[in-house]
Amino acid sequence: EKIGNTHEDQLSLAAMQYNRGHYQESIDIYKRLAINNRDDLAINVFLAMCYFKLDYYDVSLEILNTYLEPFHDSFVAVNLKACNLYRLYNGDAAAKELKNLGTVDRIISLSQLIQHNMVVFSNGERASQLLPSLLEDIPEARLNLAIYYLRKADVIEAEELLKGMEPSTPQEYILSAVVNATSGQIKDNPTLIRSAQTSFQAVGASPSECDTIPGRQCMASCFFLLKQFDDVNIYLSSVKSYMSGDDDFTWNYGISLAS
């Protein structure tokens, strides 16, 4: 059965495109629907979700506020606003926004997604307590728990957690690369280091990521592992102005310049 032009069918088509990661196609459908259905304010939430996925956090926030004016206590919309604030500013701003939903205990009890995001916004606080139970239901929980282990220098746990994962998103490729690079250096394992190089290059050379800050950092990491420091310096210098408060970036850039 073909999808028709009814409002419901087009909403379904937009959702399908979103689930496939085709966010711009989803946006185009939602925009058409919004023009003909101005009273359906929920479309703004769907649009905001798409723009968030495309890293247009300021645009997402602006659209989202249109929905939040009449529905200020919407669980979904407040959570998405908090995610935008986290990307634009920091975890404190995001957590403050979530507190509009009530006390911390009530917020955490609302949903598994909120539990997960509160851990992220608090820089990993309670990660070992809350995230393991969310691994089957929230894909990002596995990634963030692995990040928590890496910050604790527990590479073995991070490696075990990601074992068997086939990366499909830039974030998954990057995390897999970091784990393989770290483990490869510890074990002096060239195979793991080559795998890390390949993953970093897959992100940094992809058309959708090559001109982003993470994409350029990935190319720098790839060349770093190859010990091609002139190339590392080119990529790191291109994002230097955006990383002034990042001590890890400064450390790695200094090592590369000195090599």
Side-chain angles (χ1 to χ4, degrees), residues 162-215:
L162 299 184
K163 185 181 293 183
M165 182 186 78
E166 292 293 336
S168 60
T169 67
Q171 293 77 17
E172 290 173 352
Y173 273 102
I174 292 171
L175 187 55
S176 177
V178 171
V179 170
N180 283 332
T182 306
S183 181
Q185 289 171 329
I186 292 172
K187 300 175 181 178
D188 193 22
N189 185 322
T191 301
L192 288 175
I193 292 177
R194 281 196 297 273
S195 178
Q197 292 167 358
T198 301
S199 294
F200 279 131
Q201 187 173 26
V203 176
S206 69
S208 62
E209 299 294 324
C210 62
D211 289 325
T212 67
I213 293 174

Side-chain angles (χ1 to χ4, degrees), residues 216-240 249 252-257 259:
R216 294 188 177 196
Q217 286 181 293
C218 281
M219 286 306 300
S221 297
C222 175
F223 286 123
F224 197 104
L225 292 174
L226 291 168
K227 302 186 186 304
Q228 297 178 14
F229 296 107
D230 287 342
D231 291 316
V232 174
N233 296 337
I234 291 172
Y235 278 99
L236 291 185
S237 65
S238 72
V239 298
K240 180 182 177 182
F249 175 86
N252 290 327
Y253 194 18
I255 290 176
S256 180
L257 288 171
S259 298

Side-chain angles (χ1 to χ4, degrees), residues 35-71:
I35 292 172
N36 298 321
N37 301 271
R38 297 188 182 277
D39 293 334
D40 191 352
L41 295 180
I43 292 175
N44 290 297
V45 179
F46 302 143
L47 270 171
M49 291 171 65
C50 293
Y51 280 112
F52 177 84
K53 288 292 189 178
L54 290 173
D55 297 345
Y56 292 120
Y57 306 120
D58 49 349
V59 176
S60 176
L61 200 55
E62 182 179 354
I63 294 172
L64 194 60
N65 284 333
T66 304
Y67 181 82
L68 280 169
E69 286 178 10
F71 303 106

Side-chain angles (χ1 to χ4, degrees), residues 92-116:
D92 290 339
K96 183 179 179 181
E97 182 62 32
L98 280 186
K99 287 177 182 177
N100 290 329
L101 295 174
T103 65
V104 173
D105 287 339
R106 178 179 180 273
I107 293 167
I108 290 177
S109 70
L110 286 174
S111 83
Q112 293 178 321
L113 180 61
I114 291 291
Q115 289 182 42
H116 170 269

